[in-house]
Amino acid sequence: QKEVEQDPGPLSVPEGAIVSLNCTYSNSAFQYFMWYRQYSRKGPELLMYTYSSGNKEDGRFTAQVDKSSKYISLFIRDSQPSDSATYLCAIPTNTGFQKLVFGTGTRLLVSP
Amino acid sequence: KAGVTQTPRYLIKTRGQQVTLSCSPISGHRSVSWYQQTPGQGLQFLFEYFSETQRNKGNFPGRFSGRQFSNSRSEMNVSTLELGDSALYLCASSWTGGAGDTEAFFGQGTRLTVV
């Protein structure tokens, strides 16, 4: 079983839709949960991260963690064509955040 | 502020050859991590260097190696290339590598094709 599982998509939505991206993980000891965005031919960039359970909001983006079910989500409100990218969940497996375990990524396409 | 620079951007090599990839971290960053990204396996951690020492290691064979120089620049080497080594190789740098650092800044990667 992979440590982090993510539906690869692609996920196609119209502009303005609410997008839900999800990952599951296997190790209940994980404490930090991160979301990266990767545009084509670019390296991943950190969108946001959360610690333990709960929600964190940043503009149109909300990250949610449910540790009881080992489920993490990223919601995008009012999606824009510029949000079209691959979204990767990532979990640091060391205290320094340098050793990340990634989901395979979900490709999101937002059409105008 | 310059970002993480990886060179070269593209490489084509033949099976059995070896290859060296380079990563220049953001100025002042001391930790450099390397990842392999493939369509099937996604992003997988190779190793991390901090202050010229390998501090963390992933589950890759010994053909994959790396090093870090005193200016924090890092290289990774793959010997005896196999077709399955074709991938995007990404490096990421961070400030001190300590528990307070949550963001790793990624370069654009080196696309390696083995034929």
Side-chain angles (χ1 to χ4, degrees):
Chain A
Q1 182 189 8
K2 281 192 157 187
E3 288 185 285
V4 181
E5 302 269 8
Q6 185 175 10
D7 187 333
L11 178 61
S12 295
V13 301
E15 183 175 356
I18 296 174
V19 175
S20 173
L21 303 163
N22 309 292
C23 290
T24 58
Y25 62 94
S26 58
N27 190 335
S28 58
F30 291 151
Q31 294 285 354
Y32 286 86
F33 306 91
M34 310 173 113
W35 284 95
Y36 278 81
R37 177 175 62 193
Q38 185 175 21
Y39 289 113
S40 182
R41 298 189 185 86
K42 300 285 188 183
E45 57 178 339
L46 181 66
L47 271 176
M48 57 198 306
Y49 74 94
T50 54
Y51 173 72
S52 194
S53 283
N55 293 0
K56 184 174 184 179
E57 189 174 317
D58 184 1
R60 296 184 295 110
F61 298 86
T62 300
Q64 190 174 80
V65 177
D66 181 352
K67 291 198 75 181
S68 63
S69 57
K70 301 192 187 71
Y71 198 81
I72 58 178
S73 302
L74 178 70
F75 299 96
I76 307 174
R77 291 185 302 278
D78 188 25
S79 56
Q80 303 295 308
S82 59
D83 295 328
S84 297
T86 296
Y87 290 81
L88 302 129
C89 57
I91 300 176
T93 59
N94 70 321
T95 55
F97 298 87
Q98 280 67 49
K99 186 175 180 181
L100 299 173
V101 173
F102 282 87
T104 51
T106 299
R107 188 172 167 219
L108 172 66
L109 303 171
V110 182
S111 54
Chain B
K1 186 177 183 183
V4 178
T5 303
Q6 292 189 244
T7 56
R9 290 291 311 279
Y10 303 92
L11 265 179
I12 300 176
K13 290 287 187 178
T14 305
R15 270 183 305 174
Q17 286 187 314
Q18 74 166 13
V19 66
T20 299
L21 313 181
S22 179
C23 173
S24 292
I26 292 172
S27 178
H29 283 193
R30 295 166 62 190
S31 170
V32 174
S33 297
W34 288 90
Y35 292 83
Q36 180 194 67
Q37 186 173 30
T38 59
Q41 297 296 318
L43 269 153
Q44 293 183 284
F45 176 82
L46 281 155
F47 32 65
E48 182 228 354
Y49 284 85
F50 180 73
S51 294
E52 301 179 63
T53 301
Q54 187 181 91
R55 191 165 62 167
N56 289 288
K57 191 177 187 303
N59 297 322
F60 278 80
R63 300 186 297 107
F64 292 82
S65 63
R67 60 177 175 169
Q68 186 180 33
F69 302 94
S70 58
N71 62 357
S72 292
R73 189 178 70 86
S74 178
E75 290 181 346
M76 69 162 281
N77 184 276
V78 187
S79 62
T80 320
L81 283 166
E82 301 176 0
L83 295 179
D85 297 332
S86 295
L88 180 66
Y89 289 88
L90 292 155
C91 81
S93 78
S94 59
W95 172 235
T96 65
D101 282 327
T102 54
E103 182 162 8
F105 294 84
F106 282 83
Q108 293 194 81
T110 294
R111 172 75 62 184
L112 172 65
T113 302
V114 182
V115 298

